[in-house]
């Protein structure tokens, strides 16, 4: 018998809305053939697919990181404004960038989809001055060269972009213009200085390690923060999971354990720098790329569309089009729980990505759209993981996984306005009984939604609803204790109300 105890007095921290952000990069079919397809039957007057916009809008994505990713580090934002749009080779992903979608088009689409934009400035080939000009173009009201150019290009009011990334994954040699920690730290500091002189209200994200697998991790994070600690508000973390060598499904579903350790190490590293600089500020974490990503064929996900395929130098080639199954969705549910369980430090996040590229939403050029299995745990988090995060104390059978000892059951809980949202992962291959207790309130169950299925079941255009969450009957009686039966291999959201 497993046990979960929740006490609303035991608060971890506030769950910021922006932790449930997402990411759209000029990569593969994320933009061209994803959100943007002028010839599509549902296209709006601006060439964006109405069917995709509707899904994003209903999902309620608070913030979308743009325009990359690795693409960013070779991108000149000036190519994406005004009338003359050059076609460029995108060296990051080996595809052709027509620049039909640029800053105006994307920001206005995001607004129609109900999302804010988290803009990224190129610190690969880009300079601090170009970053400052970009901020002036987006945020300065009028009367300067770049703000007036924006107005001339059709946008009178500033875009008012409040959150900015200082480059992308600058620790990796795959990055265009890769830098050492000292070089990047200095460049990020100079850029932050100029950007804040243009707009002192922006929130800045500095690049932390692109993965805990990097040889420079976590030294990179400490060195970069030494240069930028007082300039920035967040340090970024990126993390993708797949099957490790010799790893199995249970291991992948246990990725939350590794994710939690990564978050804690970056927090500790930032705190070490805080102490050495005698700073009063606590650094926030922005996990602005997280997901499951299979870069090698696994099970049903046979064609992973790596970047060396026949579509090279075309617009919107297939890149990283993973097909996600139930195992992937449960793994992602575990990552959602780890984010909630670290709500005191994780204040921003982006599921990478949103459409077609390692994405919960998949489109067919000229055709339909469907939701992958991973859409659902993400959507449950966006809709219900809000307010404050509470400690969900779990007592469960220990089990070994490649990340060390973990438990078969993993959970996280939020509390908002008298309502609890409890997210529970059952990694066991059996139904499991679980005793749930609310230590300081009597509550009634409001809803119970389960996502489960065969471990390798997946959705596709022919079977878009093979894996969808099921709503189960709820116990209406108010109480402090509940007996739950959790389906094998499942991600469950239980909602309870105090009133
Ligand atoms: O999200 C896909 C890619 O993964 C991004 O471009 C890069 O930042 C990361 O390596």
């Amino acid at each position: 018998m497993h046990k979960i105890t929740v006490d609303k007095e035991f608060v971890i921290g506030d769950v910021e809305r922006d932790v449930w952000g997402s990411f759209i990069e000029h990569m593969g079919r994320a933009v061209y053939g994803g959100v943007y397809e002028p010839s599509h039957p549902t296209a709006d007057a601006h060439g964006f697919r109405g069917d995709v916009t509707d899904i994003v809008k209903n999902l309620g994505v608070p913030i979308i990181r743009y325009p990359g990713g690795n693409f960013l580090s070779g991108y000149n934002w000036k190519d994406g404004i005004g009338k003359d749009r050059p076609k460029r080779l995108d060296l990051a992903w080996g595809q052709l960038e027509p620049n039909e979608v640029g800053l105006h088009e994307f920001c206005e689409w995001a607004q129609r989809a109900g999302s804010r934009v988290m803009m990224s400035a190129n610190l690969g080939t880009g300079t601090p001055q170009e970053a400052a000009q970009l901020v002036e173009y987006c945020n300065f009201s009028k009367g300067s060269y770049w703000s007036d150019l924006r107005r001339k290009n059709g946008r009178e009011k500033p875009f008012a972009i409040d959150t900015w990334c200082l480059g992308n994954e600058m620790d990796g040699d795959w990055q265009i213009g890769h830098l050492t920690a000292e070089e990047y730290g200095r460049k990020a500091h100079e850029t932050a200085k100029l950007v804040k002189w243009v707009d002192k209200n922006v929130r800045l994200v500095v690049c932390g390690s692109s993965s805990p697998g990097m040889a420079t991790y976590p030294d990179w994070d400490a060195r970069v923060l030494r240069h930028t600690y007082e300039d920035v508000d967040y340090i970024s973390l990126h993390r993708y999971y797949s099957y490790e060598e010799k790893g199995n499904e249970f291991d992948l579903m246990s990725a939350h354990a590794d994710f939690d350790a990564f978050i804690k190490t970056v927090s500790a590293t930032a705190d070490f720098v805080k102490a050495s600089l005698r700073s009063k500020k606590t650094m926030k974490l922005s996990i602005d790329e997280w997901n499951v990503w299979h870069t090698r064929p696994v099970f049903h996900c046979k064609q992973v569309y790596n970047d060396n395929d026949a579509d090279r130098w075309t617009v919107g080639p297939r890149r990283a089009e993973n097909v996600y199954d139930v195992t992937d969705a449960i793994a992602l549910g575990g990552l959602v729980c780890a984010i909630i369980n670290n709500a005191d430090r994780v204040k921003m996040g982006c599921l990478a990505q949103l459409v077609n590229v390692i994405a919960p939403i998949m489109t067919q050029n000229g055709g339909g759209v469907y939701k992958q299995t991973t859409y659902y745990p993400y959507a449950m988090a966006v809709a219900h993981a809000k307010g404050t995060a509470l400690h969900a104390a779990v007592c469960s059978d220990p089990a070994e996984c490649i990340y060390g000892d973990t438990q078969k059951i993993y959970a996280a809980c939020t509390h908002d306005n008298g309502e609890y949202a409890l997210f529970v992962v059952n990694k066991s291959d059996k139904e499991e009984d679980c005793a749930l207790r609310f230590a300081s309130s009597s509550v009634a169950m409001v809803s119970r939604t389960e996502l489960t299925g065969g471990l390798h079941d997946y959705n596709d255009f022919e079977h878009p609803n093979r894996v969808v969450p099921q709503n189960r009957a709820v116990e209406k009686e108010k109480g402090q204790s509940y007996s739950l039966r959790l389906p094998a291999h499942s991600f469950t959201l239980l909602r309870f109300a105090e009133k």
Side-chain angles (χ1 to χ4, degrees):
M1 167 75 91
H2 311 269
K3 281 193 214 160
I4 302 177
T5 309
V6 174
D7 187 335
K8 69 175 173 183
E9 308 295 326
F10 293 169
V11 171
I12 299 171
D14 289 340
V15 181
E16 300 293 334
R17 286 307 294 148
D18 286 351
V19 294
W20 306 125
S22 190
F23 174 35
I24 294 182
E25 175 170 7
H26 283 243
M27 172 183 177
R29 295 192 308 124
V31 173
Y32 303 105
V35 288
Y36 178 79
E37 195 181 345
S39 60
H40 193 268
T42 69
D44 64 17
H46 314 274
F48 285 79
R49 284 181 64 147
D51 53 355
V52 176
T53 310
D54 287 347
I55 294 180
V56 175
K57 195 169 183 175
N58 289 335
L59 187 53
V61 183
I63 192 163
I64 302 178
R65 184 167 172 253
Y66 175 83
N70 297 343
F71 168 78
L72 171 75
S73 298
Y75 178 58
N76 183 349
W77 66 269
K78 294 166 192 167
D79 288 345
I81 57 168
K83 291 218 164 39
D84 295 325
R85 306 280 182 101
K87 286 192 172 56
R88 301 272 190 208
L89 297 187
D90 162 17
L91 301 181
W93 297 112
Q95 59 189 72
L96 194 64
E97 174 52 57
N99 282 305
E100 275 176 47
V101 174
L103 199 156
H104 288 250
E105 293 78 17
F106 190 81
C107 290
E108 277 153 16
W109 169 77
Q111 204 175 344
R112 292 195 295 282
S115 306
R116 289 169 19 254
V117 173
M118 174 184 192
M119 190 65 82
S120 303
N122 173 358
L123 291 200
T125 57
T127 63
Q129 186 182 42
E130 282 159 339
Q133 291 168 344
L134 173 58
V135 176
E136 179 185 328
Y137 188 90
C138 292
N139 288 6
F140 201 77
S141 60
K142 60 181 177 179
S144 69
Y145 178 79
W146 292 105
S147 60
D148 286 344
L149 186 59
R150 179 199 71 235
R151 294 167 63 228
K152 192 170 143 222
N153 287 338
R155 173 81 183 199
E156 178 59 38
K157 279 197 170 164
F159 289 105
I161 292 170
D162 55 32
T163 309
W164 293 80
C165 299
L166 301 172
N168 177 70
E169 295 191 347
M170 296 304 297
D171 60 332
D173 193 36
W174 60 86
Q175 202 65 216
I176 299 170
H178 157 62
L179 299 170
T180 65
E182 301 302 330
E183 290 165 344
Y184 171 67
R186 287 282 308 128
K187 189 170 180 180
H189 167 72
E190 287 303 317
T191 308
K193 202 166 83 181
L194 269 58
V195 160
K196 287 221 165 165
W197 283 344
V198 176
D199 182 350
K200 66 176 169 27
N201 296 319
V202 293
R203 311 186 295 181
L204 298 181
V205 187
V206 75
C207 293
S209 290
S210 55
S211 138
M214 296 297 289
T216 47
Y217 164 81
D219 196 42
W220 165 279
D221 306 71
R223 285 170 183 266
V224 165
L225 281 177
R226 278 211 175 85
H227 289 284
T228 56
Y229 201 87
E230 297 303 337
D231 306 315
V232 301
D233 305 276
Y234 306 83
I235 181 161
S236 76
L237 295 80
H238 289 184
R239 189 65 172 116
Y240 295 100
Y241 290 94
S242 182
Y243 292 95
E244 298 287 333
E245 212 184 320
K246 301 207 184 105
N248 57 26
E249 289 88 341
F250 187 84
D251 295 312
L252 182 57
M253 290 185 283
S254 300
H256 61 81
D258 180 79
F259 201 41
D260 182 73
F262 181 32
I263 294 167
K264 291 195 162 59
T265 304
V266 177
S267 302
T269 306
D271 290 347
F272 169 73
V273 178
K274 174 185 178 180
S276 36
L277 297 177
R278 314 287 189 264
S279 175
K280 300 245 175 313
K281 174 164 103 184
T282 298
M283 190 57 57
K284 295 185 269 193
L285 270 44
S286 170
I287 311 183
D288 44 45
E289 289 187 31
W290 63 276
N291 204 344
V292 173
W293 182 358
H294 304 300
T295 50
R296 286 176 289 111
V298 291
F299 302 102
H300 58 284
C301 182
K302 298 214 177 338
Q303 172 53 282
V304 293
Y305 298 107
N306 287 337
D307 64 353
N308 53 352
D309 57 40
D311 295 341
R312 221 165 157 75
W313 309 126
T314 62
V315 176
R318 289 185 189 277
R319 297 277 180 264
E321 296 199 9
N322 273 199
V323 176
Y324 290 115
D325 63 15
V326 167
T327 309
D328 300 325
I330 296 172
L332 194 137
L335 303 181
V336 159
C337 292
I339 290 174
I340 298 170
N341 286 333
N342 288 285
D344 53 336
R345 297 307 292 266
V346 180
K347 296 295 181 184
M348 180 105 65
C350 303
L351 174 70
Q353 300 189 8
L354 190 56
V355 183
N356 287 338
V357 172
I358 41 172
I361 302 168
M362 297 299 289
T363 71
Q364 205 165 39
N365 293 359
V369 56
Y370 77 90
K371 297 168 181 168
Q372 298 232 50
T373 57
T374 50
Y375 174 92
Y376 297 104
Y378 173 58
M380 291 181 204
V382 176
H384 300 291
K386 52 189 174 190
T388 53
L390 305 180
H391 283 282
V394 180
C395 276
S396 163
D397 299 341
E400 256 181 49
C401 81
I402 50 171
Y403 301 114
D405 267 2
T406 174
Q407 299 180 317
K408 288 187 180 158
I409 306 287
Y410 183 55
C413 188
T414 60
H415 184 246
D416 183 47
N417 212 6
E419 197 171 298
Y420 294 86
L422 178 69
F423 301 85
V424 190
V425 176
N426 179 15
K427 299 180 270 173
S428 162
D429 55 7
K430 294 192 227 24
E431 269 188 349
E432 297 286 342
D433 288 321
C434 181
L436 169 64
R437 204 170 78 80
F438 290 87
S440 54
S441 41
S442 197
V443 292
M445 198 186 280
V446 174
S447 68
R448 174 175 181 156
T449 311
E450 293 168 356
L451 186 71
T452 185
L455 277 181
H456 300 299
D457 289 352
Y458 59 94
N459 295 336
D460 56 19
F461 287 105
E462 286 72 45
H463 311 94
N465 297 317
R466 194 190 271 132
V467 182
V468 290
Q470 303 295 330
N471 289 323
R472 301 291 178 209
V474 298
E475 299 166 35
K476 291 236 159 57
E477 284 295 292
K478 255 183 144 183
Q480 283 190 274
S481 299
Y482 284 83
S483 302
L484 306 174
R485 178 151 293 178
L486 302 166
H489 300 141
S490 60
F491 181 68
T492 302
L493 164 63
L494 296 129
R495 290 166 56 229
F496 300 87
E498 284 165 340
K499 285 186 204 123

